[in-house]
Amino acid sequence: QTCAGRAEVVSVENGAREGEESGCEAQMARHLAAAVGVGISPGGWAERTCARVREMWARQTMRSPHEGPQRMPPAHVERLEEALLKIGSTRHALERSVIQLQCGAAIASVSAGDRRKPMLVVAHGYGAGLALFNRNIDALADHFRVHLFDWVGFGASSRPHFPRATNPESAADFFLLPFDEWLGIMRGRDMRPNDEPVHIMAHSLGGYLCAEYALRQPQNVAQLLLVSPAGVPKESNLVKRLTTDATLFRRALFAFFSFLWEQNVTPQRIARLLGAKRGKRFVHRYIENRFPHLPEAEQYAMAEYFYTTAVEASPSGEFALNALLAPGALARNPLHGRLDNVQTRVSFAYGEKDWMDPTAGKAALDSIKNPLARGDFAILPGTGHFLFLDDPLEFNREAVRILTARAST
């Protein structure tokens, strides 16, 4: 089976779990109060807070993500993507394509560089899109034939209804089956053998998915550069600080956040709750505060791109968050321990101020038994989770150094 078809088949077990009502306000309040170790009283703070959230949900008219036909993002996504890419990519011609897959899904991609050079696939993270690599394309295309793509359910790719996945494997299928088909098509377009392994650079949740792909299809991957990947550790120091070492208020806040996470209330859905005007203003302020070093025109284009692809577009891939990750971005099926016997060369790169845990990546790298598969490890000074945007020049140097070391062997 191809694409989302397999995920839809395996998703029927326990499907009622996602469709269940979240319960009355009192039940929600008890969940919160138990998590923070306090008692509750009728009409207390926890119950009032939950009642307000339920009221906000009730006002939403968004249909279920598991019903309806195949959907595409708003038409102006392509224009916003082009505007961002033009800001950062000037030396190489960009080739945009939308690949229609057998299952009916479509993957949007942008290619650059000489077809005779090694093939490099670049994957974005959760809620993002390929245009965020606008300042990295030129440097990478100097050495590789680069293919950037949007995961199904994100960016400018189609928005299939996310299945009621019962486990992380079936949730990953939603993304990886279309990706595998797309990869074969792009090899053919570049006149490459069907079995030629490719180099992959992937960020955040995209890193987790591409590592999963490398474990499933090692013959297809020459090397893997995981950029601040999600889903590596079994335990999180951040979660520990918020559940045991935090104040009562922070424990309550994290308990409420965890409850929303388990109910699959995504960040995008919360932005929709704010309404179009306030939601867009919220996204613009986030981009301005998170990337103050970017020119004003680029901040504006990025905020519009983020809002359109992640909030305005039909919800789809965003619902994988709960299926793949537990609260605090801990994977339900962590990579730690699973990479020990990997034969594909794996490298890690983190930002110095990254909220992902670099020590988990280093431990995973050191645990790889095959020395030829044990790649590089880098931490970029002064950068955070989006290190390729925080310091694109330094990131490009490190990425090219790591990737070309393997490509030349």
Side-chain angles (χ1 to χ4, degrees):
Q1 294 175 340
T2 59
C3 297
R6 180 179 165 198
E8 290 169 357
V9 171
V10 300
S11 68
V12 295
E13 299 178 7
N14 301 325
R17 172 176 167 269
E18 286 188 18
E20 291 176 351
E21 291 294 327
S22 57
C24 68
E25 286 77 20
Q27 290 175 315
M28 297 167 69
R30 284 194 292 271
H31 176 92
L32 288 178
V36 298
V38 300
I40 63 170
S41 58
W45 66 270
E47 194 166 326
R48 290 197 307 272
T49 301
C50 292
R52 178 167 176 76
V53 172
R54 286 294 298 270
E55 181 184 349
M56 286 171 26
W57 288 349
R59 291 200 300 265
Q60 298 308 297
T61 58
M62 185 184 69
R63 63 182 179 178
S64 167
H66 311 300
E67 300 175 359
Q70 185 78 216
R71 302 157 295 178
M72 292 298 292
H76 56 284
V77 167
E78 182 177 347
R79 175 178 55 81
L80 295 171
E81 178 187 276
E82 183 180 3
L84 263 181
L85 293 175
K86 281 184 176 180
I87 292 174
S89 306
T90 57
R91 294 202 310 271
H92 294 274
L94 302 180
E95 308 158 29
R96 191 179 192 277
S97 59
V98 179
I99 306 297
Q100 190 70 42
L101 305 175
Q102 291 183 16
C103 63
I107 288 185
S109 57
V110 169
S111 306
D114 192 332
R115 283 183 167 85
R116 295 168 295 182
K117 293 180 178 179
M119 181 172 170
L120 171 67
V121 173
V122 179
H124 65 79
Y126 179 81
L130 64 84
L132 297 189
F133 295 99
N134 63 331
R135 291 183 173 270
N136 315 115
I137 296 174
D138 277 345
L140 296 173
D142 287 343
H143 304 272
F144 294 92
R145 169 63 171 172
V146 181
H147 295 289
L148 305 97
F149 75 100
D150 287 327
W151 292 105
V152 164
F154 291 116
S157 291
S158 65
R159 306 296 177 108
H161 291 286
F162 187 76
R164 295 173 178 175
T166 58
N167 54 61
E169 289 75 21
S170 58
D173 285 343
F174 178 84
F175 301 103
L176 296 183
L177 296 177
F179 170 72
D180 186 58
E181 185 179 344
W182 170 84
L183 189 60
I185 293 173
M186 300 312 288
R187 281 199 194 98
R189 288 192 167 196
D190 283 354
M191 305 297 289
R192 300 175 187 274
N194 290 334
D195 58 351
E196 179 180 307
V198 302
H199 306 268
I200 298 178
M201 183 182 84
H203 177 242
S204 197
L205 184 63
Y208 176 82
L209 291 171
C210 287
E212 182 71 33
Y213 181 76
L215 290 169
R216 296 183 184 190
Q217 305 281 351
Q219 73 282 0
N220 288 340
V221 183
Q223 75 163 320
L224 193 59
L225 172 55
L226 302 178
V227 181
S228 187
V232 177
K234 290 184 177 180
E235 298 178 347
S236 169
N237 292 330
L238 175 62
V239 172
K240 182 180 178 181
R241 290 198 303 270
L242 291 174
T243 54
T244 59
D245 302 333
T247 63
L248 177 64
F249 174 77
R250 289 190 175 183
R251 296 207 314 272
L253 195 62
F254 182 74
F256 186 60
F257 164 78
S258 299
F259 177 81
L260 295 180
W261 187 297
E262 293 294 354
Q263 297 301 314
N264 222 1
V265 178
T266 64
Q268 294 91 326
R269 179 175 283 185
I270 293 174
R272 294 184 194 107
L273 284 170
L274 298 175
K277 185 176 181 180
R278 286 183 294 178
K280 181 173 287 192
R281 186 186 305 128
F282 173 81
V283 172
H284 274 265
R285 285 180 179 175
Y286 167 76
I287 295 298
E288 291 167 4
N289 293 330
R290 177 59 184 82
F291 305 107
H293 60 286
L294 295 179
E296 185 175 338
E298 188 170 358
Q299 287 180 347
Y300 181 84
M302 186 175 294
E304 289 291 309
Y305 177 74
F306 251 121
Y307 181 81
T308 302
T309 58
V311 180
E312 184 180 359
S314 299
S316 174
E318 68 185 73
F319 293 107
L321 187 65
N322 171 263
L324 292 171
L325 304 176
L330 286 171
R332 300 193 185 276
N333 190 14
L335 293 176
H336 182 81
R338 300 172 61 210
L339 294 175
D340 293 3
N341 297 311
V342 71
Q343 300 303 307
T344 301
R345 185 174 187 264
V346 180
S347 300
F348 290 83
Y350 290 89
E352 182 185 23
K353 303 175 183 177
D354 212 317
W355 69 274
M356 294 293 181
D357 186 4
T359 61
K362 187 64 168 65
L365 184 66
D366 292 341
S367 71
I368 297 176
K369 297 175 182 178
N370 182 355
L372 297 179
R374 205 178 301 133
D376 283 278
F377 182 84
I379 297 180
L380 270 63
T383 63
H385 185 56
F386 290 93
L387 49 163
F388 51 90
L389 277 171
D390 292 335
D391 190 347
L393 292 178
E394 184 59 29
F395 175 83
N396 291 341
R397 280 193 289 266
E398 278 296 296
V400 167
R401 179 187 67 80
I402 293 171
L403 291 166
T404 56
R406 175 63 179 85
S408 60
T409 60

